[in-house]
Structure formats: C-alpha cells, structure tokens
Amino acid sequence: MHYDVIVVGLGAMGAATLYQLAKRGVRVAGIDRYAPPHDQGSSHGDTRITRLAIGEGAAYVPLALNSHRIWRELEARSGEHLLEACGMLMISDSRVATRGHGAADFAGQTAALARQYGIPHELLDAAAIARRFPQFTGYGPHAAGYYEPGAGYVRPERCIAVQIALARQDGAALHLDTQVLSMTARAGGGVDVHTANGTLSAGHVISCAGMWSGKLLGEPFAGLLTVCRQRLYWFELDEPQRYAAGSPVFVRLDTGADADSSYGFPPLPGENAIKIATEDYSDNSDPDHIDRAIGAAEAEAMYRRYVAGRLAGVSSRLLKAKVCTYTITPDFNFIIDAHPGLPGVTVVSACSGHGFKHSAGVGEALAKRHCGEADAADLSAFAVPRHG
Ligand SMILES: Cc1cc2nc3c(=O)[nH]c(=O)nc-3n(C[C@H](O)[C@H](O)[C@H](O)COP(=O)(O)OP(=O)(O)OC[C@H]3O[C@@H](n4cnc5c(N)ncnc54)[C@H](O)[C@@H]3O)c2cc1C
C-alpha cells in the first residue's frame, strides 16, 4: 500500500492534517494506535480554551485565526457544534509581569497582540471585573482583566471525530488500532512505515504522535519532549445561575511564591459542573505508564487552593476527574519541522499544552505546504534548530 502522504497519529494535529490533505485530493492514509477520539492521549476532557490574541507569541495568531474559520467551516459541513465563543476573561496582576507557557509577560503580550491584530478585547480593573463577572472572586485590588469576547472553547473529541469522518468521506484511508513501530527512509525517496499489522509506504510522512513522539522518533525529539501528567476536575455547581449563558472561560495567572495558574470552563449544556485545572510541569511521566487515577486528597487540595474563595457558588462535590498529558518543549513552543535524521518525515510535536486552539490551522498549513499553495501559514517559527 503506497500513499502520497501518511499521517501517523490522528489526534488534534493528525486529524486536522488528514482532513485538509484529503479535502485537496491527496492520496493520504491516517494511522492510529487507537480509534480516535479516545482518552489515552492529550485531546480528551470535553473542552479546550481557544483565544485569538496569543500570549505565547505572534507566530501563533494566524494559526488561531485560521482555526476559528476552519471550525466554522467544519460546523457547516458536519452540522456539529464545535466552537463556543463564550468569551474569555484572563485575570493577572497589574503590578508585575505574569508568566505563562514560557512567555515572560503573558498578559501584556496578549493585550499587545490584540491591539496589533485588531482583535476585539477590553481591559478591566479589579472593580470592573467584580461588576461584570461577580462569579470570580478572591483576587486583590491590583487585579488586571483582559476580556476577549471572540474567545471561548472548542470541543476536542467532536473536532477530531468530524475531521476524521470528513477525511474518510473525501477519500482518506484509515488504519485504526494499528501501532506504528518504526519508520525507515526508502532508497530512492519516500518512507516505509512499519506497523504491528505490516508495512505501508508513502512519499512523505507527517508524524503527529502526541506524547509518544519521543519514543517513536528518537533523537533529537526524545531529548526535547517531556510528558507531564495533568489533572482535570469537574466540581458541581450549587448556584448554576452564576455560570449561565455569557459566563466566559477563565484563566488566572497568579504571582505568589507558591502559586500557579489555573483555568476553567462554564458548564456544558445539560451539565451542572465547572471544569477547572492547573498546569503541572513537575509530574513527568512515561507515556506508557501514566497514572490515570486521581485520589481524594488531590481533589480536596485542588478545591481548597483553586476553587474555594475564588469561584462563587461552586461546591466541593467532585462529579468527574480525568488525567491528561502535556508534552512540552524546553521553551514551551511548538516543534513543527523536518526530522533531521529521517528524510521525508515532518514532525509535529504535541504542542506543549496549548496546541488544540491551533490544530485546525496547523493541519491546513501543512496540507497547503504539501500542495505548494502559496498562502500557507508560516510555520518557520517552530523549527528545531532554535533548541541549539
Ligand atoms: C489537560 C490539558 C488541557 C489542555 N488545554 C488546552 C487548552 O485549553 N487550549 C489549547 O489550545 N490546548 C490545550 N491543551 C493542549 C492540546 O490539547 C494539545 O496540544 C493537543 O491536543 C495535542 O494534540 P496531538 O495531536 O499532538 O496529540 P494527541 O491528540 O494525543 O494525538 C496523538 C495521537 O497519536 C497516536 N499515536 C501515538 N503514537 C502512535 C504510534 N506509534 N502509532 C500510531 N498512532 C500513534 C495516539 O493514539 C493519538 O491518537 C491541553 C492539553 C491537556 C492535556
């Protein structure tokens, strides 16, 4: 079986890439060790924040803008609701620069890029935050709010399912429940992809293996990528009216010595829970041995530190908890580049805990680049050599 392109891994990045290639008539196959969407990788848990002014850096803004356009196109094609533009409130501290995803002044950079790209937003002081969003509490008089009305959340499992289904409709071949064991360059060009079910070949491979990328691709990626266990919590609402329509997703960037950022989502239709999480870079895990259990002590600590006194009308009753994984690079940026030791293979990293909002745009950029379309979004900021 020979293809123009094989996409390895059909999570956020791979499903988007497969869809965009199939839509362009490329003879493409997608391979996944499971049958996505699934809850073993980095793209589960019902919701992902999306925002347009990207505090991680200017190179991401076109990808986020393109992703929003593509999700609306996918909604029109599939009839599924994928993007909820409920707005986003980011609370930081006006006295200091607050870090986020490797950016030294995440909130400041967000506001600067919003101005640069003409992205609608409002800057709020503590009194305005309290007036507009009384459900959020526990910040000091120096709190600074950035509110972006076009931000919100996407539904990751639905996005993946829709793109895979449409790709299949557009002619993509699927090899699910099929683990790729290794890849080798073919004499004369192209790549052999060795799976547990036999060998496939392609002119080009785009590897989107998420947290397994280091294991599959070897160096330099194995040394650059670190897998970090994350915990997602759904706490029941005592006062659901506080988080009814119009309640935004939220990000809190704290500054205290032992503090950490947290973020959360309003309830999904038909649910009565707030989903909330932190970002944990200390818990480095082997992708094949992730501890997926969340203990009562972890949930209690989460409630005490990040819910009590900060989110009005939320109870300590835990309705659901899930483990998911970030796969981060040393500078928290993406890696999207040719594999230096494996000709014909493009590597897309799992994108350091902030990739979902860009996934549709990344898939489009890769497909446009493959097809030689001149207006492909620029991915050069994500090249490997910056790591030295
Ligand atoms: C808790 C949490 C919260 C997050 N919040 C946000 C957010 O709010 N906003 C945001 O933008 N981003 C967020 N992210 C980041 C975002 O979800 C990830 O960057 C993105 O989902 C990664 O997608 P991926 O395609 O790289 O990986 P995955 O979706 O995990 O896909 C990888 C796929 O490769 C397959 N695979 C791996 N190895 C092989 C192999 N050898 N053979 C065959 N198949 C293989 C796997 O089965 C899997 O389906 C969050 C991540 C987590 C974990």
Side-chain angles (χ1 to χ4, degrees), residues 9 11-13 32-34 38 41-43 48-49 178-180 208-210 212 232 263 324-326 350-351 353-357:
M13 302 295 161
D32 201 285
R33 59 190 288 158
Y34 302 110
H38 59 74
S42 301
S43 299
R48 289 290 184 270
I49 292 177
T178 300
Q179 185 176 355
V180 173
C208 307
W212 289 274
L232 300 167
Y263 62 92
C324 198
T325 50
Y326 281 6
C351 298
H354 57 105
F356 205 94
K357 68 180 73 59

PDB file of all heavy atoms in Angstrom, residues 9 11-13 32-34 38 41-43 48-49 178-180 208-210 212 232 263 324-326 350-351 353-357, ligand 1:
ATOM      1  N   GLY A   9      -0.810   9.143  13.701  1.00  0.00           N
ATOM      2  CA  GLY A   9      -1.448   9.750  14.864  1.00  0.00           C
ATOM      3  C   GLY A   9      -2.587  10.635  14.424  1.00  0.00           C
ATOM      4  O   GLY A   9      -2.384  11.595  13.674  1.00  0.00           O
ATOM      5  N   GLY A  11      -4.897  12.387  16.451  1.00  0.00           N
ATOM      6  CA  GLY A  11      -5.469  13.233  17.498  1.00  0.00           C
ATOM      7  C   GLY A  11      -5.736  14.615  16.937  1.00  0.00           C
ATOM      8  O   GLY A  11      -6.115  14.763  15.766  1.00  0.00           O
ATOM      9  N   ALA A  12      -5.497  15.632  17.754  1.00  0.00           N
ATOM     10  CA  ALA A  12      -5.797  17.002  17.326  1.00  0.00           C
ATOM     11  C   ALA A  12      -5.081  17.359  16.031  1.00  0.00           C
ATOM     12  O   ALA A  12      -5.696  17.796  15.046  1.00  0.00           O
ATOM     13  CB  ALA A  12      -5.385  17.970  18.441  1.00  0.00           C
ATOM     14  N   MET A  13      -3.772  17.192  16.019  1.00  0.00           N
ATOM     15  CA  MET A  13      -2.975  17.640  14.871  1.00  0.00           C
ATOM     16  C   MET A  13      -3.158  16.717  13.670  1.00  0.00           C
ATOM     17  O   MET A  13      -3.304  17.172  12.531  1.00  0.00           O
ATOM     18  CB  MET A  13      -1.488  17.697  15.244  1.00  0.00           C
ATOM     19  CG  MET A  13      -1.190  18.610  16.403  1.00  0.00           C
ATOM     20  SD  MET A  13      -1.557  20.337  15.992  1.00  0.00           S
ATOM     21  CE  MET A  13      -1.656  21.026  17.643  1.00  0.00           C
ATOM     22  N   ASP A  32      -3.535   5.192  13.417  1.00  0.00           N
ATOM     23  CA  ASP A  32      -3.528   5.484  14.853  1.00  0.00           C
ATOM     24  C   ASP A  32      -3.520   4.187  15.645  1.00  0.00           C
ATOM     25  O   ASP A  32      -4.151   3.199  15.254  1.00  0.00           O
ATOM     26  CB  ASP A  32      -4.730   6.337  15.271  1.00  0.00           C
ATOM     27  CG  ASP A  32      -4.468   7.045  16.591  1.00  0.00           C
ATOM     28  OD1 ASP A  32      -4.502   6.375  17.662  1.00  0.00           O
ATOM     29  OD2 ASP A  32      -4.176   8.269  16.569  1.00  0.00           O
ATOM     30  N   ARG A  33      -2.814   4.223  16.760  1.00  0.00           N
ATOM     31  CA  ARG A  33      -2.730   3.019  17.608  1.00  0.00           C
ATOM     32  C   ARG A  33      -4.061   2.729  18.293  1.00  0.00           C
ATOM     33  O   ARG A  33      -4.283   1.605  18.765  1.00  0.00           O
ATOM     34  CB  ARG A  33      -1.612   3.168  18.641  1.00  0.00           C
ATOM     35  CG  ARG A  33      -1.779   4.343  19.541  1.00  0.00           C
ATOM     36  CD  ARG A  33      -0.533   4.608  20.383  1.00  0.00           C
ATOM     37  NE  ARG A  33      -0.369   3.609  21.422  1.00  0.00           N
ATOM     38  CZ  ARG A  33       0.793   3.328  22.024  1.00  0.00           C
ATOM     39  NH1 ARG A  33       1.892   3.985  21.680  1.00  0.00           N
ATOM     40  NH2 ARG A  33       0.866   2.431  22.962  1.00  0.00           N
ATOM     41  N   TYR A  34      -4.931   3.731  18.407  1.00  0.00           N
ATOM     42  CA  TYR A  34      -6.287   3.537  18.944  1.00  0.00           C
ATOM     43  C   TYR A  34      -7.277   3.935  17.848  1.00  0.00           C
ATOM     44  O   TYR A  34      -6.905   4.031  16.678  1.00  0.00           O
ATOM     45  CB  TYR A  34      -6.500   4.378  20.196  1.00  0.00           C
ATOM     46  CG  TYR A  34      -5.513   4.081  21.301  1.00  0.00           C
ATOM     47  CD1 TYR A  34      -4.528   5.001  21.669  1.00  0.00           C
ATOM     48  CD2 TYR A  34      -5.557   2.860  21.990  1.00  0.00           C
ATOM     49  CE1 TYR A  34      -3.621   4.720  22.685  1.00  0.00           C
ATOM     50  CE2 TYR A  34      -4.651   2.572  23.007  1.00  0.00           C
ATOM     51  CZ  TYR A  34      -3.684   3.505  23.347  1.00  0.00           C
ATOM     52  OH  TYR A  34      -2.788   3.237  24.342  1.00  0.00           O
ATOM     53  N   HIS A  38     -10.162   9.335  21.524  1.00  0.00           N
ATOM     54  CA  HIS A  38     -10.029   8.431  22.678  1.00  0.00           C
ATOM     55  C   HIS A  38      -9.480   9.229  23.852  1.00  0.00           C
ATOM     56  O   HIS A  38      -9.156  10.418  23.704  1.00  0.00           O
ATOM     57  CB  HIS A  38      -9.108   7.259  22.318  1.00  0.00           C
ATOM     58  CG  HIS A  38      -7.730   7.678  21.895  1.00  0.00           C
ATOM     59  ND1 HIS A  38      -6.785   8.136  22.793  1.00  0.00           N
ATOM     60  CD2 HIS A  38      -7.127   7.741  20.670  1.00  0.00           C
ATOM     61  CE1 HIS A  38      -5.667   8.441  22.145  1.00  0.00           C
ATOM     62  NE2 HIS A  38      -5.851   8.215  20.846  1.00  0.00           N
ATOM     63  N   GLY A  41      -4.608   9.998  25.116  1.00  0.00           N
ATOM     64  CA  GLY A  41      -3.567  10.933  24.685  1.00  0.00           C
ATOM     65  C   GLY A  41      -3.709  12.299  25.344  1.00  0.00           C
ATOM     66  O   GLY A  41      -3.850  12.395  26.576  1.00  0.00           O
ATOM     67  N   SER A  42      -3.726  13.345  24.513  1.00  0.00           N
ATOM     68  CA  SER A  42      -3.729  14.719  25.035  1.00  0.00           C
ATOM     69  C   SER A  42      -4.945  15.522  24.593  1.00  0.00           C
ATOM     70  O   SER A  42      -4.973  16.741  24.762  1.00  0.00           O
ATOM     71  CB  SER A  42      -2.455  15.438  24.559  1.00  0.00           C
ATOM     72  OG  SER A  42      -1.320  14.749  25.010  1.00  0.00           O
ATOM     73  N   SER A  43      -5.941  14.872  24.003  1.00  0.00           N
ATOM     74  CA  SER A  43      -7.038  15.642  23.393  1.00  0.00           C
ATOM     75  C   SER A  43      -8.415  15.266  23.926  1.00  0.00           C
ATOM     76  O   SER A  43      -9.406  15.383  23.214  1.00  0.00           O
ATOM     77  CB  SER A  43      -7.008  15.448  21.868  1.00  0.00           C
ATOM     78  OG  SER A  43      -5.795  15.917  21.336  1.00  0.00           O
ATOM     79  N   ARG A  48     -11.526  22.643  25.280  1.00  0.00           N
ATOM     80  CA  ARG A  48     -10.218  23.294  25.246  1.00  0.00           C
ATOM     81  C   ARG A  48     -10.444  24.789  25.038  1.00  0.00           C
ATOM     82  O   ARG A  48     -11.274  25.183  24.203  1.00  0.00           O
ATOM     83  CB  ARG A  48      -9.367  22.773  24.067  1.00  0.00           C
ATOM     84  CG  ARG A  48      -8.865  21.347  24.209  1.00  0.00           C
ATOM     85  CD  ARG A  48      -7.798  21.235  25.277  1.00  0.00           C
ATOM     86  NE  ARG A  48      -7.221  19.896  25.371  1.00  0.00           N
ATOM     87  CZ  ARG A  48      -7.673  18.905  26.139  1.00  0.00           C
ATOM     88  NH1 ARG A  48      -8.759  19.088  26.864  1.00  0.00           N
ATOM     89  NH2 ARG A  48      -7.048  17.745  26.190  1.00  0.00           N
ATOM     90  N   ILE A  49      -9.682  25.598  25.776  1.00  0.00           N
ATOM     91  CA  ILE A  49      -9.794  27.048  25.594  1.00  0.00           C
ATOM     92  C   ILE A  49      -9.244  27.429  24.227  1.00  0.00           C
ATOM     93  O   ILE A  49      -8.215  26.910  23.797  1.00  0.00           O
ATOM     94  CB  ILE A  49      -9.006  27.800  26.681  1.00  0.00           C
ATOM     95  CG1 ILE A  49      -9.670  27.610  28.046  1.00  0.00           C
ATOM     96  CG2 ILE A  49      -8.898  29.303  26.349  1.00  0.00           C
ATOM     97  CD1 ILE A  49      -8.935  28.264  29.200  1.00  0.00           C
ATOM     98  N   THR A 178      -3.862   0.441  15.021  1.00  0.00           N
ATOM     99  CA  THR A 178      -2.646  -0.021  14.345  1.00  0.00           C
ATOM    100  C   THR A 178      -1.474   0.812  14.835  1.00  0.00           C
ATOM    101  O   THR A 178      -1.390   2.005  14.529  1.00  0.00           O
ATOM    102  CB  THR A 178      -2.811   0.166  12.811  1.00  0.00           C
ATOM    103  OG1 THR A 178      -3.948  -0.603  12.378  1.00  0.00           O
ATOM    104  CG2 THR A 178      -1.573  -0.280  12.049  1.00  0.00           C
ATOM    105  N   GLN A 179      -0.597   0.201  15.583  1.00  0.00           N
ATOM    106  CA  GLN A 179       0.531   0.960  16.129  1.00  0.00           C
ATOM    107  C   GLN A 179       1.685   1.020  15.139  1.00  0.00           C
ATOM    108  O   GLN A 179       2.075  -0.005  14.567  1.00  0.00           O
ATOM    109  CB  GLN A 179       1.015   0.314  17.431  1.00  0.00           C
ATOM    110  CG  GLN A 179       2.110   1.132  18.095  1.00  0.00           C
ATOM    111  CD  GLN A 179       2.532   0.572  19.437  1.00  0.00           C
ATOM    112  OE1 GLN A 179       1.950  -0.393  19.932  1.00  0.00           O
ATOM    113  NE2 GLN A 179       3.551   1.160  20.016  1.00  0.00           N
ATOM    114  N   VAL A 180       2.208   2.214  14.931  1.00  0.00           N
ATOM    115  CA  VAL A 180       3.427   2.355  14.134  1.00  0.00           C
ATOM    116  C   VAL A 180       4.608   2.022  15.045  1.00  0.00           C
ATOM    117  O   VAL A 180       4.764   2.596  16.131  1.00  0.00           O
ATOM    118  CB  VAL A 180       3.556   3.795  13.579  1.00  0.00           C
ATOM    119  CG1 VAL A 180       4.903   3.981  12.894  1.00  0.00           C
ATOM    120  CG2 VAL A 180       2.424   4.085  12.606  1.00  0.00           C
ATOM    121  N   CYS A 208       2.351  12.906  13.911  1.00  0.00           N
ATOM    122  CA  CYS A 208       1.610  13.685  14.915  1.00  0.00           C
ATOM    123  C   CYS A 208       1.296  12.746  16.080  1.00  0.00           C
ATOM    124  O   CYS A 208       0.135  12.545  16.440  1.00  0.00           O
ATOM    125  CB  CYS A 208       0.306  14.216  14.332  1.00  0.00           C
ATOM    126  SG  CYS A 208       0.465  15.136  12.789  1.00  0.00           S
ATOM    127  N   ALA A 209       2.327  12.142  16.647  1.00  0.00           N
ATOM    128  CA  ALA A 209       2.137  11.052  17.612  1.00  0.00           C
ATOM    129  C   ALA A 209       1.963  11.525  19.047  1.00  0.00           C
ATOM    130  O   ALA A 209       2.011  10.718  19.982  1.00  0.00           O
ATOM    131  CB  ALA A 209       3.304  10.073  17.502  1.00  0.00           C
ATOM    132  N   GLY A 210       1.773  12.818  19.253  1.00  0.00           N
ATOM    133  CA  GLY A 210       1.470  13.332  20.583  1.00  0.00           C
ATOM    134  C   GLY A 210       2.542  12.952  21.591  1.00  0.00           C
ATOM    135  O   GLY A 210       3.737  13.084  21.331  1.00  0.00           O
ATOM    136  N   TRP A 212       3.672  10.249  22.498  1.00  0.00           N
ATOM    137  CA  TRP A 212       4.552   9.135  22.126  1.00  0.00           C
ATOM    138  C   TRP A 212       5.621   9.568  21.118  1.00  0.00           C
ATOM    139  O   TRP A 212       6.406   8.744  20.667  1.00  0.00           O
ATOM    140  CB  TRP A 212       3.737   7.979  21.537  1.00  0.00           C
ATOM    141  CG  TRP A 212       2.896   7.260  22.550  1.00  0.00           C
ATOM    142  CD1 TRP A 212       3.279   6.228  23.364  1.00  0.00           C
ATOM    143  CD2 TRP A 212       1.517   7.508  22.855  1.00  0.00           C
ATOM    144  NE1 TRP A 212       2.233   5.834  24.157  1.00  0.00           N
ATOM    145  CE2 TRP A 212       1.132   6.595  23.864  1.00  0.00           C
ATOM    146  CE3 TRP A 212       0.568   8.418  22.380  1.00  0.00           C
ATOM    147  CZ2 TRP A 212      -0.166   6.561  24.399  1.00  0.00           C
ATOM    148  CZ3 TRP A 212      -0.716   8.381  22.920  1.00  0.00           C
ATOM    149  CH2 TRP A 212      -1.064   7.462  23.912  1.00  0.00           C
ATOM    150  N   LEU A 232      -7.729  17.078  35.468  1.00  0.00           N
ATOM    151  CA  LEU A 232      -8.911  17.895  35.169  1.00  0.00           C
ATOM    152  C   LEU A 232     -10.006  17.531  36.172  1.00  0.00           C
ATOM    153  O   LEU A 232     -10.242  16.343  36.421  1.00  0.00           O
ATOM    154  CB  LEU A 232      -9.422  17.588  33.757  1.00  0.00           C
ATOM    155  CG  LEU A 232      -8.447  17.853  32.600  1.00  0.00           C
ATOM    156  CD1 LEU A 232      -8.958  17.213  31.316  1.00  0.00           C
ATOM    157  CD2 LEU A 232      -8.271  19.354  32.417  1.00  0.00           C
ATOM    158  N   TYR A 263      -7.236  27.497  35.228  1.00  0.00           N
ATOM    159  CA  TYR A 263      -8.173  27.914  34.192  1.00  0.00           C
ATOM    160  C   TYR A 263      -9.411  27.041  34.287  1.00  0.00           C
ATOM    161  O   TYR A 263      -9.382  25.976  34.911  1.00  0.00           O
ATOM    162  CB  TYR A 263      -7.534  27.808  32.791  1.00  0.00           C
ATOM    163  CG  TYR A 263      -7.143  26.397  32.418  1.00  0.00           C
ATOM    164  CD1 TYR A 263      -8.016  25.567  31.719  1.00  0.00           C
ATOM    165  CD2 TYR A 263      -5.908  25.880  32.781  1.00  0.00           C
ATOM    166  CE1 TYR A 263      -7.660  24.277  31.381  1.00  0.00           C
ATOM    167  CE2 TYR A 263      -5.546  24.582  32.453  1.00  0.00           C
ATOM    168  CZ  TYR A 263      -6.431  23.788  31.754  1.00  0.00           C
ATOM    169  OH  TYR A 263      -6.081  22.492  31.437  1.00  0.00           O
ATOM    170  N   CYS A 324      -4.845  13.772  31.895  1.00  0.00           N
ATOM    171  CA  CYS A 324      -4.479  14.019  30.500  1.00  0.00           C
ATOM    172  C   CYS A 324      -2.994  14.409  30.517  1.00  0.00           C
ATOM    173  O   CYS A 324      -2.415  14.553  31.590  1.00  0.00           O
ATOM    174  CB  CYS A 324      -5.364  15.147  29.971  1.00  0.00           C
ATOM    175  SG  CYS A 324      -5.443  15.271  28.181  1.00  0.00           S
ATOM    176  N   THR A 325      -2.363  14.557  29.387  1.00  0.00           N
ATOM    177  CA  THR A 325      -0.918  14.843  29.418  1.00  0.00           C
ATOM    178  C   THR A 325      -0.540  16.014  28.516  1.00  0.00           C
ATOM    179  O   THR A 325      -1.017  16.141  27.392  1.00  0.00           O
ATOM    180  CB  THR A 325      -0.116  13.622  28.916  1.00  0.00           C
ATOM    181  OG1 THR A 325      -0.674  13.195  27.686  1.00  0.00           O
ATOM    182  CG2 THR A 325      -0.117  12.513  29.929  1.00  0.00           C
ATOM    183  N   TYR A 326       0.335  16.861  29.039  1.00  0.00           N
ATOM    184  CA  TYR A 326       1.036  17.839  28.221  1.00  0.00           C
ATOM    185  C   TYR A 326       2.329  17.167  27.752  1.00  0.00           C
ATOM    186  O   TYR A 326       2.928  16.399  28.503  1.00  0.00           O
ATOM    187  CB  TYR A 326       1.483  19.045  29.049  1.00  0.00           C
ATOM    188  CG  TYR A 326       0.449  20.089  29.384  1.00  0.00           C
ATOM    189  CD1 TYR A 326      -0.898  19.938  29.091  1.00  0.00           C
ATOM    190  CD2 TYR A 326       0.858  21.263  30.017  1.00  0.00           C
ATOM    191  CE1 TYR A 326      -1.801  20.935  29.428  1.00  0.00           C
ATOM    192  CE2 TYR A 326      -0.049  22.257  30.356  1.00  0.00           C
ATOM    193  CZ  TYR A 326      -1.380  22.082  30.059  1.00  0.00           C
ATOM    194  OH  TYR A 326      -2.285  23.058  30.397  1.00  0.00           O
ATOM    195  N   ALA A 350       3.522  17.576  20.254  1.00  0.00           N
ATOM    196  CA  ALA A 350       2.194  17.626  20.891  1.00  0.00           C
ATOM    197  C   ALA A 350       1.850  19.020  21.411  1.00  0.00           C
ATOM    198  O   ALA A 350       0.801  19.241  21.986  1.00  0.00           O
ATOM    199  CB  ALA A 350       2.126  16.620  22.014  1.00  0.00           C
ATOM    200  N   CYS A 351       2.756  19.962  21.219  1.00  0.00           N
ATOM    201  CA  CYS A 351       2.427  21.383  21.329  1.00  0.00           C
ATOM    202  C   CYS A 351       2.196  21.923  22.732  1.00  0.00           C
ATOM    203  O   CYS A 351       1.411  22.859  22.950  1.00  0.00           O
ATOM    204  CB  CYS A 351       1.276  21.724  20.380  1.00  0.00           C
ATOM    205  SG  CYS A 351       1.769  21.429  18.667  1.00  0.00           S
ATOM    206  N   GLY A 353       0.864  21.816  25.662  1.00  0.00           N
ATOM    207  CA  GLY A 353      -0.277  22.216  26.477  1.00  0.00           C
ATOM    208  C   GLY A 353      -1.062  23.397  25.966  1.00  0.00           C
ATOM    209  O   GLY A 353      -1.967  23.878  26.634  1.00  0.00           O
ATOM    210  N   HIS A 354      -0.728  23.874  24.749  1.00  0.00           N
ATOM    211  CA  HIS A 354      -1.553  24.975  24.211  1.00  0.00           C
ATOM    212  C   HIS A 354      -1.838  24.787  22.722  1.00  0.00           C
ATOM    213  O   HIS A 354      -2.074  25.742  21.998  1.00  0.00           O
ATOM    214  CB  HIS A 354      -0.929  26.344  24.502  1.00  0.00           C
ATOM    215  CG  HIS A 354       0.481  26.562  23.986  1.00  0.00           C
ATOM    216  ND1 HIS A 354       0.740  27.345  22.884  1.00  0.00           N
ATOM    217  CD2 HIS A 354       1.686  26.124  24.421  1.00  0.00           C
ATOM    218  CE1 HIS A 354       2.058  27.383  22.679  1.00  0.00           C
ATOM    219  NE2 HIS A 354       2.649  26.646  23.597  1.00  0.00           N
ATOM    220  N   GLY A 355      -1.862  23.525  22.279  1.00  0.00           N
ATOM    221  CA  GLY A 355      -1.936  23.273  20.848  1.00  0.00           C
ATOM    222  C   GLY A 355      -3.318  23.171  20.242  1.00  0.00           C
ATOM    223  O   GLY A 355      -3.487  23.394  19.044  1.00  0.00           O
ATOM    224  N   PHE A 356      -4.327  22.822  21.065  1.00  0.00           N
ATOM    225  CA  PHE A 356      -5.591  22.490  20.405  1.00  0.00           C
ATOM    226  C   PHE A 356      -6.151  23.649  19.603  1.00  0.00           C
ATOM    227  O   PHE A 356      -6.635  23.486  18.487  1.00  0.00           O
ATOM    228  CB  PHE A 356      -6.652  21.953  21.392  1.00  0.00           C
ATOM    229  CG  PHE A 356      -7.625  21.086  20.660  1.00  0.00           C
ATOM    230  CD1 PHE A 356      -7.449  19.722  20.595  1.00  0.00           C
ATOM    231  CD2 PHE A 356      -8.671  21.647  19.935  1.00  0.00           C
ATOM    232  CE1 PHE A 356      -8.300  18.923  19.839  1.00  0.00           C
ATOM    233  CE2 PHE A 356      -9.529  20.862  19.181  1.00  0.00           C
ATOM    234  CZ  PHE A 356      -9.334  19.497  19.128  1.00  0.00           C
ATOM    235  N   LYS A 357      -6.080  24.837  20.185  1.00  0.00           N
ATOM    236  CA  LYS A 357      -6.681  26.007  19.521  1.00  0.00           C
ATOM    237  C   LYS A 357      -6.055  26.284  18.165  1.00  0.00           C
ATOM    238  O   LYS A 357      -6.623  26.983  17.348  1.00  0.00           O
ATOM    239  CB  LYS A 357      -6.571  27.250  20.417  1.00  0.00           C
ATOM    240  CG  LYS A 357      -5.143  27.741  20.589  1.00  0.00           C
ATOM    241  CD  LYS A 357      -5.034  28.961  21.476  1.00  0.00           C
ATOM    242  CE  LYS A 357      -5.248  28.655  22.928  1.00  0.00           C
ATOM    243  NZ  LYS A 357      -4.291  27.645  23.495  1.00  0.00           N
TER     244      LYS A 357
HETATM  245  C1  LIG B   1      -5.282  18.792  30.360  1.00  0.00           C
HETATM  246  C2  LIG B   1      -4.994  19.506  29.092  1.00  0.00           C
HETATM  247  C3  LIG B   1      -5.556  20.741  28.866  1.00  0.00           C
HETATM  248  C4  LIG B   1      -5.280  21.444  27.695  1.00  0.00           C
HETATM  249  N1  LIG B   1      -5.887  22.630  27.482  1.00  0.00           N
HETATM  250  C5  LIG B   1      -5.721  23.269  26.316  1.00  0.00           C
HETATM  251  C6  LIG B   1      -6.468  24.429  26.032  1.00  0.00           C
HETATM  252  O1  LIG B   1      -7.281  24.867  26.850  1.00  0.00           O
HETATM  253  N2  LIG B   1      -6.270  25.025  24.819  1.00  0.00           N
HETATM  254  C7  LIG B   1      -5.405  24.543  23.900  1.00  0.00           C
HETATM  255  O2  LIG B   1      -5.274  25.130  22.837  1.00  0.00           O
HETATM  256  N3  LIG B   1      -4.698  23.414  24.147  1.00  0.00           N
HETATM  257  C8  LIG B   1      -4.831  22.775  25.317  1.00  0.00           C
HETATM  258  N4  LIG B   1      -4.154  21.626  25.570  1.00  0.00           N
HETATM  259  C9  LIG B   1      -3.174  21.145  24.613  1.00  0.00           C
HETATM  260  C10 LIG B   1      -3.794  20.375  23.478  1.00  0.00           C
HETATM  261  O3  LIG B   1      -4.886  19.624  23.933  1.00  0.00           O
HETATM  262  C11 LIG B   1      -2.701  19.531  22.840  1.00  0.00           C
HETATM  263  O4  LIG B   1      -1.642  20.378  22.409  1.00  0.00           O
HETATM  264  C12 LIG B   1      -3.216  18.745  21.655  1.00  0.00           C
HETATM  265  O5  LIG B   1      -4.430  18.116  21.962  1.00  0.00           O
HETATM  266  C13 LIG B   1      -2.178  17.714  21.251  1.00  0.00           C
HETATM  267  O6  LIG B   1      -2.643  17.056  20.098  1.00  0.00           O
HETATM  268  P1  LIG B   1      -1.770  15.948  19.384  1.00  0.00           P
HETATM  269  O7  LIG B   1      -2.435  15.649  18.107  1.00  0.00           O
HETATM  270  O8  LIG B   1      -0.341  16.365  19.351  1.00  0.00           O
HETATM  271  O9  LIG B   1      -1.811  14.701  20.386  1.00  0.00           O
HETATM  272  P2  LIG B   1      -2.973  13.624  20.576  1.00  0.00           P
HETATM  273  O10 LIG B   1      -4.302  14.251  20.370  1.00  0.00           O
HETATM  274  O11 LIG B   1      -2.708  12.922  21.859  1.00  0.00           O
HETATM  275  O12 LIG B   1      -2.786  12.647  19.358  1.00  0.00           O
HETATM  276  C14 LIG B   1      -1.715  11.784  19.206  1.00  0.00           C
HETATM  277  C15 LIG B   1      -2.225  10.556  18.506  1.00  0.00           C
HETATM  278  O13 LIG B   1      -1.150   9.760  18.060  1.00  0.00           O
HETATM  279  C16 LIG B   1      -1.484   8.412  18.237  1.00  0.00           C
HETATM  280  N5  LIG B   1      -0.236   7.676  18.271  1.00  0.00           N
HETATM  281  C17 LIG B   1       0.809   7.887  19.096  1.00  0.00           C
HETATM  282  N6  LIG B   1       1.802   7.040  18.849  1.00  0.00           N
HETATM  283  C18 LIG B   1       1.401   6.277  17.815  1.00  0.00           C
HETATM  284  C19 LIG B   1       2.000   5.203  17.113  1.00  0.00           C
HETATM  285  N7  LIG B   1       3.221   4.759  17.419  1.00  0.00           N
HETATM  286  N8  LIG B   1       1.303   4.612  16.125  1.00  0.00           N
HETATM  287  C20 LIG B   1       0.051   5.056  15.814  1.00  0.00           C
HETATM  288  N9  LIG B   1      -0.561   6.060  16.459  1.00  0.00           N
HETATM  289  C21 LIG B   1       0.102   6.667  17.452  1.00  0.00           C
HETATM  290  C22 LIG B   1      -2.275   8.400  19.546  1.00  0.00           C
HETATM  291  O14 LIG B   1      -3.093   7.285  19.683  1.00  0.00           O
HETATM  292  C23 LIG B   1      -3.064   9.683  19.428  1.00  0.00           C
HETATM  293  O15 LIG B   1      -4.357   9.461  18.876  1.00  0.00           O
HETATM  294  C24 LIG B   1      -4.408  20.899  26.738  1.00  0.00           C
HETATM  295  C25 LIG B   1      -3.841  19.634  26.960  1.00  0.00           C
HETATM  296  C26 LIG B   1      -4.146  18.939  28.121  1.00  0.00           C
HETATM  297  C27 LIG B   1      -3.536  17.597  28.348  1.00  0.00           C
END
